[in-house]
């Protein structure tokens, strides 16, 4: 469907849990335990909402969290979402710790590809960033996903004074592996407000100073907000998602559903609609579809991350769905 600014919205991000088996410093506040007990949507409720979204033009679904693989029976939920006739692609964003054990059944049930969040290739630093010694498990998951022929993207957030010196190491991963390394600028949401990110322009300059024969990849609709380059003769690509330094809101095609049933119009803002409340009040499918339609149609024109805003989102990323 088309929102009031003429953008085609065809992408739904569904958070299925706020819980996580890691505790990344810019995602979950150190004082918050990973024991959220919020009344989250059931599988039936998620499928019901996704079905109505699909009837409005949603074609791609991404499962997020928290860590989505800690949700019980996540494999079955993906199977059910894959059986919604209008849905063409289902992806998952995960930290990769549990992926190696689940990936085969996930692929059988309809998973198209994986985005794996990974901010360090150094064992000790990985533990510093995530509070857990699980780098080995993540690297095994990456290799298993590639072995199975799934599309693999690595989402990397560079935090100044912590992992800036690993930029080149991440680029080198694309030499022999058909993966996308995507540098995502740190967004000032929740715990991330305590840290200083660096711009993707600075990252690109570091890459250009260390590699020759860099090619700019043609941007496609399926690449989403990322702009890509490739080091000549490398198998994989390097992408840049720059919500702070290069706002891409004019092309935004997504809507977000939190694990507690709140349909968000934009990552930055706290407004939207509580679909869980309406579903549990026995709303008709027709009326549910109308609520979703109105919420999508009224998406804001752009975020205001770097400006004061009365309606800014104050939740942590694991509560929103990263």
């Amino acid at each position: 469907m088309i929102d009031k600014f003429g953008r085609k919205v065809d992408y739904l991000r569904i958070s299925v849990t706020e819980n996580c088996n890691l505790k990344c410093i810019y995602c979950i506040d150190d004082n918050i335990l990973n024991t959220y007990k919020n009344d989250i949507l059931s599988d039936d409720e998620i499928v019901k909402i996704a079905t109505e979204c699909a009837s409005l033009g949603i074609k791609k679904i991404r499962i997020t969290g928290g860590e989505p693989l800690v949700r019980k029976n996540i494999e079955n939920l993906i199977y059910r979402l894959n059986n919604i006739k209008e849905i063409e692609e289902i992806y998952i964003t995960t930290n990769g710790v549990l992926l190696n054990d689940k990936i085969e059944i996930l692929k059988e049930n309809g998973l198209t590809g994986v985005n794996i969040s990974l901010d360090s290739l150094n064992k000790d630093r990985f533990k510093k960033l995530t509070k857990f010694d699980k780098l080995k498990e993540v690297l095994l998951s990456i290799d298993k996903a590639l072995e199975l022929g799934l599309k693999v993207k690595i989402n990397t957030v560079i935090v100044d004074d912590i992992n800036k010196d690993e930029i080149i190491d991440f680029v080198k991963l694309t030499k022999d592996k058909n993966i996308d390394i995507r540098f995502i600028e740190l967004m000032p949401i929740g715990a991330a407000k305590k840290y200083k990110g660096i711009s993707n322009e600075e990252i690109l300059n570091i890459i250009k100073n260390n590699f020759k024969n860099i090619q700019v990849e043609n941007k496609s609709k399926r690449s989403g907000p990322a702009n890509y380059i490739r080091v000549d003769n490398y198998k994989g690509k390097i992408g840049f998602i720059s919500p702070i330094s290069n706002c891409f809101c004019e092309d935004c095609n997504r809507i977000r559903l939190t694990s507690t049933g709140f349909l968000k119009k934009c990552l930055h803002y706290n407004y939207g609609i509580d679909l869980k409340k309406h579903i549990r009040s026995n709303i008709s499918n027709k009326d549910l579809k109308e609520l979703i339609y109105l919420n999508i149609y009224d998406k804001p024109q752009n975020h205001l991350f770097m400006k004061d805003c009365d309606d800014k989102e104050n939740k942590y990323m694991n509560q929103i769905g990263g």
Side-chain angles (χ1 to χ4, degrees):
M1 66 165 286
I2 307 298
D3 73 5
K4 65 183 180 181
F5 296 105
R7 296 170 297 194
K8 183 179 179 180
V9 180
D10 58 5
Y11 175 16
L12 172 65
R13 296 176 66 100
I14 303 174
S15 176
V16 296
T17 181
E18 295 182 7
N19 286 323
C20 189
N21 51 348
L22 297 181
K23 200 173 181 182
C24 296
I25 58 173
Y26 59 79
C27 182
I28 301 176
D29 189 90
D30 196 47
N31 296 316
I32 296 178
L33 298 176
N34 295 343
T35 54
Y36 291 96
K37 299 185 183 301
N38 286 334
D39 188 10
I40 64 175
L41 293 172
S42 68
D43 285 5
D44 287 345
E45 290 167 335
I46 290 174
V47 172
K48 183 181 181 72
I49 293 170
T51 299
E52 296 307 324
C53 287
S55 72
L56 289 167
I58 295 296
K59 297 184 183 302
K60 174 181 175 180
I61 288 177
R62 178 172 298 282
I63 305 298
T64 70
E67 170 47 47
L69 296 184
V70 304
R71 181 177 172 118
K72 185 177 180 181
N73 295 325
I74 185 66
E75 303 91 339
N76 185 61
L77 176 59
I78 287 178
Y79 176 83
R80 294 180 64 185
L81 292 171
N82 187 53
N83 277 280
I84 300 173
K85 64 179 182 179
E86 296 93 345
I87 299 302
E88 299 175 356
E89 300 173 289
I90 299 179
Y91 293 82
I92 193 167
T93 294
T94 170
N95 58 39
V97 172
L98 301 174
L99 184 61
N100 190 50
D101 294 333
K102 295 176 179 286
I103 193 165
E104 290 191 44
I105 185 63
L106 289 171
K107 183 183 178 185
E108 289 175 10
N109 287 359
L111 189 67
T112 307
V114 294
N115 284 21
I116 298 175
S117 301
L118 178 61
D119 299 326
S120 179
L121 299 169
N122 176 282
K123 179 180 177 181
D124 293 334
R125 188 175 289 169
F126 180 93
K127 186 175 180 179
K128 177 181 179 180
L129 286 163
T130 69
K131 308 298 175 67
F132 290 88
D133 183 13
K134 296 291 183 179
L135 178 59
K136 179 181 178 180
E137 287 84 345
V138 178
L139 296 178
L140 284 172
S141 294
I142 292 171
D143 288 339
K144 186 64 171 292
L146 290 170
E147 178 187 323
L148 291 175
L150 287 168
K151 180 61 181 175
V152 179
K153 299 178 181 179
I154 307 298
N155 291 340
T156 300
V157 175
I158 299 299
V159 182
D160 202 18
D161 298 326
I162 296 182
N163 60 345
K164 183 177 177 179
D165 61 335
E166 293 194 64
I167 292 170
I168 301 307
D169 292 330
F170 275 106
V171 173
K172 288 179 178 178
L173 279 183
T174 69
K175 182 177 182 180
D176 299 313
K177 297 179 187 292
N178 185 22
I179 57 177
D180 294 349
I181 301 294
R182 310 195 311 168
F183 294 105
I184 303 177
E185 289 180 339
L186 183 69
M187 289 178 278
I189 294 178
K193 296 175 183 177
K194 301 177 182 178
Y195 299 93
K196 180 180 181 293
I198 67 174
S199 73
N200 274 337
E201 182 179 3
E202 182 177 351
I203 294 174
L204 178 59
N205 287 333
I206 290 171
I207 295 172
K208 286 181 175 179
N209 288 334
N210 283 272
F211 296 92
K212 296 180 180 179
N213 301 321
I214 291 176
Q215 304 168 355
V216 176
E217 296 283 300
N218 291 328
K219 187 174 176 63
S220 68
K221 179 67 175 178
R222 289 186 179 274
S223 69
N227 293 301
Y228 285 96
I229 63 171
R230 186 192 300 268
V231 178
D232 193 23
N233 295 321
Y234 279 29
K235 289 185 176 180
K237 298 182 296 185
I238 303 102
F240 303 90
I241 299 179
S242 313
I244 305 302
S245 65
N246 185 24
C247 176
F248 43 77
C249 296
E250 68 273 11
D251 296 320
C252 183
N253 66 334
R254 68 192 60 186
I255 202 82
R256 294 171 180 267
L257 179 67
T258 72
S259 62
T260 55
F262 193 77
L263 192 66
K264 285 178 62 66
K265 303 176 185 182
C266 173
L267 179 62
H268 173 238
Y269 297 101
N270 61 15
Y271 50 69
I273 188 167
D274 184 355
L275 294 181
K276 181 181 69 178
K277 177 184 69 176
H278 290 284
I279 288 176
R280 295 183 182 179
S281 298
N282 297 316
I283 189 173
S284 69
N285 290 344
K286 178 182 178 181
D287 288 343
L288 176 62
K289 181 177 179 178
E290 180 68 12
L291 284 178
I292 295 171
Y293 170 84
L294 292 173
N295 204 69
I296 295 176
Y297 180 78
D298 199 36
K299 271 173 61 66
Q301 187 171 17
N302 54 268
H303 69 66
L304 297 171
F305 276 130
M306 306 310 292
K307 298 179 181 179
D308 291 331
C309 173
D310 292 337
D311 298 313
K312 66 181 178 181
E313 181 61 80
N314 290 312
K315 295 185 179 68
Y316 293 97
M317 283 297 288
N318 64 302
Q319 296 173 293
I320 301 168

